[in-house]
Amino acid sequence: MAGHPIVHVEFASNDPTATSKFFADLFGWQLQHAPEFDYTMFRAEGGPGGGFVKADGTQFNTGDTLVYVGTDDIEGTLRQAESLGGKVIMPKMEIPNTGWFAIFTDPNGARVALYTEMNQ
């Protein structure tokens, strides 16, 4: 995944159900709920999809947006981010039956997630 495209965008909310409905009504996004994660995803025609996560005041605050960038090598990309002044805040973790992700901050503190699909 040499181009490192944006593959997923997450919106944090105190009420992910209401927030997902707002965006679906506003933009016509198609919603799909994953009950095993209690997570609602959206598909946006012509762009990356994403989801709505419950703000918990620790990992996600209301109004946070987290961009996921695709990579074939999460660990290698994390090492490169650190060598450039970034900081790993969540190491590579599995999303069961889906893929893997990790989160780092850039030198200014902005959070960015990495993602690799399981079938790669």
Side-chain angles (χ1 to χ4, degrees):
M1 196 171 307
H4 295 99
I6 293 173
V7 297
H8 191 82
V9 178
E10 257 176 357
F11 297 96
S13 170
N14 287 330
D15 187 347
T17 301
T19 301
S20 64
K21 182 179 179 339
F22 169 83
F23 281 105
D25 291 347
L26 179 63
F27 296 131
W29 292 349
Q30 299 298 309
L31 300 177
Q32 178 183 0
H33 187 74
E36 66 273 21
F37 303 116
D38 191 22
Y39 185 73
T40 300
M41 296 168 283
F42 70 87
R43 296 184 63 94
E45 186 176 333
F52 302 92
V53 64
K54 176 78 171 157
D56 60 10
T58 57
Q59 193 174 26
F60 290 99
N61 293 308
T62 297
D64 283 354
T65 302
L66 184 60
V67 174
Y68 286 70
V69 177
T71 181
D72 291 331
D73 181 6
I74 288 178
E75 290 96 346
T77 304
L78 289 174
R79 283 192 300 275
Q80 185 176 12
E82 286 182 310
S83 76
L84 296 169
K87 180 181 176 186
V88 175
I89 59 173
M90 181 177 291
K92 181 178 176 182
M93 296 180 63
E94 184 176 349
I95 303 168
N97 303 312
T98 303
W100 295 268
F101 78 104
I103 302 173
F104 68 93
T105 58
D106 72 10
N108 292 306
R111 294 183 319 142
V112 177
L114 301 172
Y115 178 74
T116 300
E117 284 188 50
M118 188 165 277
N119 60 4
Q120 290 192 14

